[in-house]
Amino acid sequence: MFSKILIANRGEIACRVAATARRLGIKTVAVYSEADADAKHVAVCDEAVLIGPAPAKESYLRADKIIEVALATGAQAVHPGYGFLSENSEFADACAKAGLVFIGPPASAIRAMGSKSAAKSLMEKANVPLVPGYHGDNQDADFLQGEADRIGYPVLLKASAGGGGKGMRVIENSADFKAALASCKREAISSFGDDKVLAEKYLTRPRHIEIQVFADTHGNCVYLFERDCSVQRRHQKVLEEAPAPGMTAERRAAMGDAAVAAAKAVGYVGAGTVEFIANQDGSFYFMEMNTRLQVEHPVTEMISGTDLVEWQLRVAAGQPLPLRQDQLLINGHAIEARIYAENPEKGFLPSIGTLRHNRTPQAVSFELGGSLDLPAAVRIDSGVREGDSISPFYDPMIAKLIVWGKDRNQALARMAQALAEYQIVGLSTNIAFLQRLISGKAFSSADLDTGLIERNHAELFPQAAAAPLPVLALAAVAQLQSERQPGGDPWQSGHGWRMNSTLQRTLHYAEESQAYEVGVGYLAEGWNVSAAGAQARVTLVGNDSHGPNDLSLKLGDQTVHGTVVQYGANGENVHVFTGGGHTVLHYADPLAHAGEAEAESGRLTAPMPGKIVAVMVSAGQEVKKGDALMIMEAMKMEHTISAPVDGIVDEILYAVADQVAEGAQLLAFRQPE
């Protein structure tokens, strides 16, 4: 076994690999960019070396620099994690040339599976079923459009060298083909340095089911069952579970055998995932093979009682697989939810900011938590801590929340409870969306397909409800408590004392779509609180049960527990967590903004830092609501800036290839008189 390895990655996967290495007594070397100097993965490894500036191409994608650091620190092997250089055959070759073990498959297997089109040709020879499509080298736009017309719409375009949902477009008709192809190629060249695409028939209501395979250098190859990854947005996974609901033993064996055949066809070694698209009738087709550990590997670990990172290390060190196929068993059910810094209500736009408050449910971290008979109920894999920032340079995933249950119903209940206890302040997250997704009829009843989110859009994106009195009371009491100044001027004490009277005041709060006036009448003990036609006597019965932001209120005959986090000038940003929900309010201090003008209108601003990749309009052009004006690239994904209303473009302030900051005005826009 190795005595020291270098982890050529960052974030949660770097922390995950380091944890298993530490358990096995293996020293670890972290590499980091300037943006990650204080990152968690730097802290948990035994050594850490700076390798370059924040952009990945100048740091985490610098194969030469990473190999140089590995040799200088005495590492014997390199673990690439996932993403970055994990599926780069040149990097695997360079490691071998430098005398380093690449903890992954042979470079030949990466090359064979790295091109989706070449991989499908190999699978066809291995008798693995394929979706009808074009996987050749001809990239002429007219030719590809002709192939799409032949296949029949809808057609799915995919970057041949891609993954993670980048460089993918679903095209509904021939008229839209060339615009979608151009966008797909732009995203592919930006993400993978290769704009080659393939075209396939897009199946309606398919499921995305993948098989975890593992092979060693002794000729052994097994499959560790399946994961259902059907719940996706923008072709990126949101929820994963194992085993797949409704999977029969016969179908599992057929898919497992096909996956093993695929791995053997390329002389595979190590951890890999063979991904299939499955019809509702049970038929399945090969999509691609990911020649690395997957983001969602924990659900496989939870149901099989294995540590896949340990298996990677043992196989890379030349040891045989720890278990045979007949020794692998499924125990219970596991579900993983990816906690992202993003805004689902705004098209899942990534969010950037600082984790000002990060309270997680009780869970184990990077540990299996027991034997095959007693896995952990809740596990969190994360590469960030409270106070860390989510930057525009890397994927905005905050954590992976994984739960286990003796069956799917228990796993669902545990996931719902864990999400209700997860509190994040400082940036937008998808936690509330995940709560709706987990409890929604489609997912809870296992009515799964890759279009689940779009198909259930109305249920998953309901109209915002007004904040109830308990939420507003918690916000108000937190504000009143923050104003208390013991020993000071009695007129400014915040206790509400007034000569011959009691203080009556109104606190003003607002959400994105509505405003609230909260009336507060001071009493000898507590307050009368009223809002939106409801009122109750409120007393503070406890605080600091878990931390300084926790409050317990007596609201009439009801006891309400909650966490209120305030930050910003005069505590204007107010986050209220209660009853498993999260409400974001803005407190309007009437004195803090006296004389400030209304927000400037007639402009469209960048929702996040990024680069302009396309300008769709010109100055003086009339546009309709929803028309595409510009396309930005941020975090290797394209985001369309659309006209909010009918209007006229007065001025375009940025050109293609320009970098823009968050909040920067992109163009001047006006409505016709």
Side-chain angles (χ1 to χ4, degrees):
M1 181 53 73
F2 310 113
S3 59
K4 181 186 284 190
I5 64 171
L6 181 143
I7 304 172
N9 217 296
R10 65 177 301 279
E12 65 86 14
I13 187 58
C15 296
R16 168 72 186 88
V17 173
T20 290
R22 182 178 300 107
R23 182 170 61 79
L24 297 176
I26 301 170
K27 297 292 185 182
T28 54
V29 180
V31 292
Y32 65 94
S33 70
E34 291 173 355
D36 279 341
D38 298 318
K40 183 178 177 181
H41 79 277
V42 173
V44 301
C45 288
D46 297 294
E47 301 174 53
V49 180
L50 174 67
I51 53 171
K57 66 181 180 180
E58 300 177 41
S59 51
Y60 297 107
L61 291 174
R62 283 286 306 275
D64 57 338
K65 185 67 174 176
I66 289 170
I67 289 173
E68 178 186 319
V69 171
L71 295 173
T73 56
Q76 301 151 305
V78 176
H79 195 301
Y82 51 71
F84 295 134
L85 295 169
S86 62
E87 295 180 281
N88 187 303
S89 58
E90 289 78 14
F91 180 58
D93 276 334
C95 285
K97 187 175 180 181
L100 298 165
V101 175
F102 179 76
I103 303 174
S108 58
I110 298 175
R111 275 190 286 271
M113 289 299 190
S115 166
K116 289 183 174 64
S117 54
K120 293 197 174 184
S121 297
L122 279 171
M123 294 305 100
E124 191 171 23
K125 294 175 183 176
N127 296 317
V128 178
L130 300 176
V131 177
Y134 175 73
H135 311 124
D137 294 327
N138 191 334
Q139 295 293 294
D140 177 75
D142 289 332
F143 175 81
L144 289 174
Q145 185 171 15
E147 286 297 297
D149 293 344
R150 175 186 63 80
I151 295 165
Y153 296 91
V155 164
L156 177 65
L157 278 182
K158 293 197 288 188
S160 184
K166 299 178 178 69
M168 298 179 71
R169 298 291 184 275
V170 176
I171 306 170
E172 299 289 346
N173 55 69
S174 187
D176 296 336
F177 184 87
K178 287 187 177 175
L181 175 64
S183 179
C184 186
K185 282 181 169 290
R186 279 195 305 268
E187 200 166 276
I189 196 74
S190 171
S191 297
F192 313 112
D194 183 352
D195 70 352
K196 184 179 177 183
V197 300
L198 55 85
E200 291 181 340
K201 177 70 176 175
Y202 185 71
L203 303 181
T204 57
R205 295 208 61 193
R207 289 173 67 177
H208 181 137
I209 296 177
E210 59 189 31
I211 305 292
Q212 175 73 61
V213 294
F214 230 108
D216 62 22
T217 55
H218 301 271
N220 303 307
C221 186
V222 300
Y223 64 91
L224 289 91
F225 317 115
E226 78 282 352
R227 299 184 286 257
D228 193 306
C229 308
S230 300
V231 183
Q232 302 177 7
R233 52 98 174 102
R234 287 183 164 184
H235 304 289
Q236 289 183 305
K237 299 161 188 174
V238 177
L239 294 172
E240 300 98 356
E241 58 183 311
M247 177 68 75
T248 64
E250 294 77 19
R251 188 181 179 197
R252 176 177 293 121
M255 295 184 78
D257 289 344
V260 168
K264 287 183 174 180
V266 293
Y268 202 79
V269 175
T273 301
V274 182
E275 301 196 350
F276 295 97
I277 191 164
N279 263 332
Q280 297 290 332
D281 64 6
S283 59
F284 60 91
Y285 306 97
F286 174 85
M287 283 200 304
E288 62 182 327
M289 183 176 188
N290 289 301
T291 53
R292 54 172 167 77
L293 199 65
Q294 291 280 88
V295 176
E296 58 272 18
H297 76 273
V299 292
T300 295
E301 293 181 325
M302 296 284 264
I303 66 162
S304 63
T306 57
D307 181 337
L308 296 183
V309 174
E310 179 180 347
W311 280 38
Q312 284 187 299
L313 294 170
R314 293 194 181 282
V315 165
Q319 298 179 17
L321 292 177
L323 296 173
R324 301 186 310 270
Q325 189 69 60
D326 60 1
Q327 294 175 305
L328 290 164
L329 301 171
I330 294 176
N331 179 38
H333 198 95
I335 303 173
E336 174 178 303
R338 301 188 188 191
I339 309 295
Y340 269 100
E342 64 182 12
N343 192 327
E345 284 71 24
K346 294 183 178 179
F348 298 97
L349 191 69
S351 179
I352 295 170
T354 300
L355 285 165
R356 296 175 178 272
H357 173 81
N358 183 35
R359 181 180 294 177
T360 64
Q362 186 174 357
V364 296
S365 298
F366 310 111
E367 300 291 339
L368 296 178
S371 67
L372 180 64
D373 300 321
L374 189 62
V378 182
R379 165 178 161 181
I380 295 174
D381 289 11
S382 179
V384 295
R385 304 151 297 185
E386 188 168 291
D388 287 349
S389 294
I390 302 296
S391 78
F393 299 105
Y394 314 114
D395 185 84
M397 187 166 68
I398 296 171
K400 300 184 310 196
L401 176 63
I402 312 105
V403 300
W404 177 91
K406 63 181 181 353
D407 54 31
R408 190 172 191 265
N409 286 337
Q410 187 179 65
L412 280 169
R414 283 178 170 167
M415 178 60 78
Q417 180 64 33
L419 286 169
E421 295 174 3
Y422 218 124
Q423 299 178 2
I424 292 176
V425 171
L427 33 71
S428 298
T429 76
N430 64 340
I431 291 175
F433 171 75
L434 290 171
Q435 290 177 287
R436 296 192 294 270
L437 193 54
I438 286 289
S439 62
K441 182 179 178 181
F443 188 80
S444 60
S445 65
D447 183 15
L448 306 175
D449 64 79
T450 56
L452 183 148
I453 292 176
E454 291 79 8
R455 184 162 48 85
N456 296 277
H457 191 274
E459 180 185 9
L460 297 175
F461 296 92
Q463 209 164 21
L469 185 61
V471 167
L472 297 174
L474 282 163
V477 171
Q479 176 61 30
L480 300 176
Q481 291 296 99
S482 72
E483 295 173 356
R484 295 176 70 92
Q485 299 177 24
D489 182 345
W491 301 100
Q492 301 296 324
S493 68
H495 289 75
W497 178 86
R498 292 294 183 269
M499 186 178 294
N500 301 321
S501 69
T502 57
L503 173 63
Q504 302 288 329
R505 60 187 291 200
T506 301
L507 304 180
H508 296 271
Y509 292 94
E511 289 185 277
E512 201 165 274
S513 58
Q514 50 193 312
Y516 306 97
E517 290 187 351
V518 181
V520 177
Y522 286 71
L523 304 174
E525 183 179 348
W527 310 267
N528 274 327
V529 177
S530 61
Q535 64 176 348
R537 177 170 177 165
V538 176
T539 54
L540 180 63
V541 295
N543 62 0
D544 201 26
S545 55
H546 297 288
N549 301 312
D550 296 317
L551 299 172
S552 291
L553 305 181
K554 191 76 172 177
L555 191 70
D557 296 328
Q558 175 188 9
T559 300
V560 176
H561 304 285
T563 301
V564 183
V565 180
Q566 300 167 285
Y567 69 93
N570 304 294
E572 291 174 342
N573 300 295
V574 184
H575 292 253
V576 181
F577 298 90
T578 185
H582 176 200
T583 303
V584 181
L585 299 169
H586 175 80
Y587 171 60
D589 186 330
L591 297 179
H593 299 289
E596 286 189 2
E598 291 295 320
E600 184 180 352
S601 60
R603 51 185 277 169
L604 288 176
T605 58
M608 61 188 303
K611 182 174 72 173
I612 303 299
V613 296
V615 178
M616 324 295 286
V617 293
S618 56
Q621 182 174 335
E622 291 190 16
V623 295
K624 297 293 185 183
K625 179 180 179 180
D627 284 355
L629 307 177
M630 284 184 171
I631 298 177
M632 283 183 60
E633 180 194 80
M635 295 182 177
K636 295 188 177 180
M637 297 289 287
E638 289 193 353
H639 308 277
T640 300
I641 308 299
S642 302
V645 293
D646 295 354
I648 299 170
V649 177
D650 276 339
E651 184 181 6
I652 296 170
L653 302 175
Y654 287 93
V656 172
D658 284 349
Q659 294 285 341
V660 297
E662 181 177 3
Q665 183 178 356
L666 300 175
L667 51 81
F669 180 87
R670 63 183 168 88
Q671 292 180 263
E673 297 178 358

